[in-house]
Amino acid sequence: SQKIEQNSEALNIQEGKTATLTCNYTNYSPAYLQWYRQDPGRGPVFLLLIRENEKEKRKERLKVTFDTTLKQSLFHITASQPADSATYLCALDVGGGNKLTFGTGTQLKVEL
Amino acid sequence: EADIYQTPRYLVIGTGKKITLECSQTMGHDKMYWYQQDPGMELHLIHYSYGVNSTEKGDLSSESTVSRIRTEHFPLTLESARPSHTSQYLCASSEGTSGWESQYFGPGTRLLVL
């Protein structure tokens, strides 16, 4: 069955550093991959979408890469700030029709 | 800010009661979804709809039911709540034109069944 793995342990980094989060998947060749941010007690918020023919996508301080050979996506936040502290989720459309399967998420904590 | 609303935000209810969780969106999106999320766990798709009078079950089996009589409204109903239904329920919508659009989520309903 489709499996999406994200770092289960929380990632603690210092303010100003670059945070790198990993999303690995198996048993599927998705046409695209999405990243969301989720704050405690709230619904996820869409951040970036990257298609299989795109190696990299950027939006302000965010950068996503997509390696379909390694079956891996990396999510980078440069010049991180305490306000970036949240759980970050990756999601794939496994069955088509935009029905997303989510990873468990990685909790990021940016410290002063 | 996405215009998708869920009520109630929190609900504590006794076993055996019938409940309806409301979800509305004002964006005119065709596709709507319900996810279930336990604390610290991933979201699981339990229902989805591609438009009025279209509903399908998701990957995670759920005893809940849904209806889609109007584009903007996608309520979820539990006929007889049980403690195992305790969870957070998140509603989402997407435009539904390209096939790979982002989803907009509501704030969620946190349900506790005693």
Side-chain angles (χ1 to χ4, degrees):
Chain A
S1 61
Q2 177 62 26
K3 197 171 177 184
I4 301 171
E5 292 184 343
Q6 296 186 251
N7 296 359
S8 57
E9 292 183 13
L11 178 63
N12 295 329
I13 64 166
Q14 265 193 317
E15 183 180 19
K17 302 289 187 186
T18 296
T20 298
L21 286 67
T22 305
C23 176
N24 295 297
Y25 58 94
T26 58
N27 299 336
Y28 189 65
S29 298
Y32 63 94
L33 184 147
Q34 300 185 26
W35 283 89
Y36 288 79
R37 168 185 172 141
Q38 187 174 25
D39 291 286
R42 304 188 73 168
V45 174
F46 170 75
L47 295 174
L48 281 168
L49 180 153
I50 186 165
R51 298 188 175 93
E52 61 179 338
N53 60 351
E54 296 175 316
K55 296 294 183 191
E56 181 181 298
K57 199 116 178 232
R58 291 175 184 262
K59 179 183 174 184
E60 298 171 354
R61 294 185 295 112
L62 309 180
K63 184 179 88 171
V64 172
T65 62
F66 194 12
D67 189 326
T68 55
T69 302
L70 291 178
K71 293 188 182 291
Q72 181 181 78
S73 175
L74 298 179
F75 178 81
H76 307 271
I77 305 175
T78 59
S80 58
Q81 305 165 0
D84 295 327
S85 298
T87 296
Y88 292 85
L89 314 171
C90 72
L92 305 176
D93 182 356
V94 175
N98 206 37
K99 300 189 299 291
L100 297 179
T101 297
F102 283 83
T104 51
T106 298
Q107 187 178 2
L108 172 67
K109 196 169 189 178
V110 181
E111 298 163 336
L112 292 168
Chain B
E1 189 90 10
D3 297 320
I4 181 162
Y5 309 98
Q6 290 186 245
T7 58
R9 292 293 312 278
Y10 305 93
L11 180 60
V12 181
I13 202 159
T15 296
K17 298 292 185 183
K18 177 180 178 178
I19 59 171
T20 297
L21 308 184
E22 301 288 350
C23 176
S24 295
Q25 50 97 3
T26 58
M27 297 171 283
H29 287 170
D30 285 325
K31 292 181 180 173
M32 295 189 74
Y33 316 82
W34 276 103
Y35 293 87
Q36 186 175 340
Q37 185 181 33
D38 292 325
M41 304 296 287
E42 62 264 52
L43 283 78
H44 288 287
L45 182 67
I46 52 175
H47 297 284
Y48 61 97
S49 167
Y50 288 159
V52 170
N53 294 326
S54 151
T55 61
E56 300 286 345
K57 288 191 178 292
D59 301 323
L60 181 68
S61 175
S62 174
E63 293 167 348
S64 59
T65 59
V66 292
S67 63
R68 189 91 183 273
I69 298 170
R70 302 198 317 264
T71 297
E72 63 271 20
H73 196 213
F74 192 39
L76 179 146
T77 299
L78 274 166
E79 290 292 333
S80 180
R82 293 208 299 269
S84 62
H85 297 140
T86 294
S87 189
Q88 176 164 255
Y89 293 85
L90 290 157
C91 179
S93 71
S94 66
E95 202 169 346
T97 51
S98 70
W100 47 34
E101 56 277 338
S102 57
Q103 293 186 11
Y104 294 89
F105 282 82
T109 294
R110 194 171 292 277
L111 173 65
L112 173 61
V113 184
L114 303 174

